[in-house]
Structures are given as structure tokens and as C-alpha cells.
Amino acid sequence: DDEQPIRAAVEASKRFVQRLDPRYDQIGLVTYSSSATIDSKLECVRRRGSENCTLDVIENTVISGLNNTHAGGGTNIPEAIYDSINVLSNTSGQYGRPSAAHIMILMTDGEANVYTINGSTVSACYAQDYWPYNTGESSRDRAKDCVIYYTRQARNNGIVIYTITLGASADIELMQEVAELTGGLHRHAPRAEQLDPIFDELYERIFLRLVE
């Protein structure tokens, strides 16, 4: 049962990715559970050159990574944002373009409850009550503080985050704040079959932002 919504989310994500034009659009993939993993750095304009960017490149990297995504573990949203910031950067070893629009789509079907980065706790991310609705010093409260901390880091790096929550267990309020802080948009899908229209809307909004 846990796999069913994840598979639906994967298929909707794949359809979104396949709408992009690899000659102009770069895309990477970060997946997460109790920890986050960079499955694919940005593909492929700056990394490979536009003349070498084909749909096959995306199929063998981002799409392949999506196909290998499975349910399980905790919900380390802070590390997912942290790794995604790195993927979108133009620092050494990364392939972000300084003049490009840097956009992150963050999807979750759960509530943040892990806040380690590369296996270690980063106390700076919960040193303040970044999320003002905490009830105490539980790991979930600290994880939410860290979500907002790294969301601010994303904003400071010019990254817009669009958030999608899936199902009844997702933290809608927190994900709304993540999107709002970065100038993005939040959408909720009570059921997996509602994801395609959401991705359609995000696609239109992202490219409208590029035109404007």
C-alpha cells in the first residue's frame, strides 16, 4: 500500500520531466527518506553541451532514478532541500547556470521528522524557532525548524520552490510556507490521480515565469 502512491507520484513526475526540452532545460533528481540522495546532477546543457542533449540522456539519468524510487524510511525534507540547493548551484562539480531560472519542485506524502545532513546533526538549523508553531523539543519540531532554515538558504540562492503534498499525512501548512517564502506555489493532491493536473499547472506557471 505504501508503494502505490509513490508509484503514482513517480509516473506523474516522469510525464512532467518528459515535457521538458533537454536542449534548453536542465533537470536533476534528489530523492529522500531518512536521508537524501543526489540521484542525478543537472542534465544536460552545461554538463554535456546542448548538441549532445537528447531525450535518451534524460531517460538514462533522471527517469532511471525515478524508476528506482521506493517508499520507506523517515522524511528528511531538510536534507532534500540542502542537496537540491547544491545540485542547482554553479559551484565546482555542479552544473547550474548563473543566468538561468533555478526552480525546485518538492514533493512529500509525509511530515518532516529527520534533520540530519550527510549523517550528522546541524544544530544551526534549529537554533531558532524558524517554524513558530512547534510544541516542544521533539525531533519533528526540530525537523520543521530545519525545513524553514534550508528554505531560507534556497531563497538566498535565488531558488523558487514549488511544493506538492500528497495524501492525508502530508504537512500542508509547512509546505505552503516553503513555497511562499521562495515565491513559489503549493498544491495538494488528496489522491495520486490528481497529480497530473498539478504538474500541468506547474509546467505552465514555470514557463510563464521564464517568459515574464
Side-chain angles (χ1 to χ4, degrees):
D1 289 343
D2 287 343
E3 279 295 317
Q4 192 170 13
I6 291 296
R7 297 325 304 168
V10 164
E11 293 303 316
S13 300
K14 285 163 58 177
R15 286 188 285 271
F16 173 81
V17 169
Q18 288 163 341
R19 294 182 68 177
L20 302 177
D21 189 335
R23 295 174 299 169
Y24 310 109
D25 308 318
Q26 295 203 136
I27 186 165
L29 176 66
V30 173
T31 56
Y32 66 98
S33 54
S34 298
S35 60
T37 301
I38 298 175
D39 294 275
S40 177
K41 294 187 177 183
L42 285 181
E43 302 284 353
C44 61
V45 180
R46 186 176 172 214
R47 188 174 188 176
R48 300 173 186 265
S50 58
E51 69 278 5
N52 297 314
C53 294
T54 66
L55 291 176
D56 286 342
V57 169
I58 304 303
E59 288 285 341
N60 294 331
T61 55
V62 178
I63 299 297
S64 177
L66 285 167
N67 284 333
N68 290 324
T69 302
H70 300 283
T75 309
N76 194 344
I77 298 175
E79 188 172 34
I81 298 174
Y82 173 87
D83 279 354
S84 298
I85 293 170
N86 287 333
V87 166
L88 289 166
S89 76
N90 62 342
T91 57
S92 177
Q94 307 299 336
Y95 299 94
R97 291 170 289 173
S99 59
H102 293 170
I103 294 167
M104 185 190 309
I105 297 178
L106 174 61
M107 186 187 303
T108 181
D109 66 349
E111 188 173 354
N113 54 23
V114 184
Y115 54 96
T116 56
I117 305 295
N118 297 324
S120 300
T121 299
V122 181
S123 59
C125 74
Y126 60 84
Q128 300 180 39
D129 291 330
Y130 294 104
W131 181 243
Y133 309 108
N134 289 339
T135 58
E137 287 299 314
S138 70
S139 61
R140 181 173 283 105
D141 288 342
R142 286 184 171 183
K144 291 182 180 182
D145 283 335
C146 292
V147 167
I148 298 302
Y149 176 87
Y150 287 110
T151 295
R152 291 183 176 186
Q153 297 296 311
R155 180 187 63 189
N156 293 343
N157 282 276
I159 297 170
V160 176
I161 305 178
Y162 292 89
T163 58
I164 302 174
T165 47
L166 174 61
S169 299
D171 193 334
I172 295 174
E173 191 174 20
L174 182 62
M175 291 299 99
Q176 286 175 329
E177 182 68 12
V178 169
E180 185 175 327
L181 276 173
T182 61
L185 182 78
H186 167 264
R187 287 292 181 263
H188 179 63
R191 298 180 304 279
E193 58 267 24
Q194 295 174 300
L195 285 170
D196 276 328
I198 290 173
F199 272 114
D200 288 343
E201 180 187 5
L202 294 189
Y203 180 87
E204 297 298 330
R205 285 180 176 270
I206 287 170
F207 282 91
L208 178 61
R209 179 186 293 272
L210 295 180
V211 171
E212 290 177 342

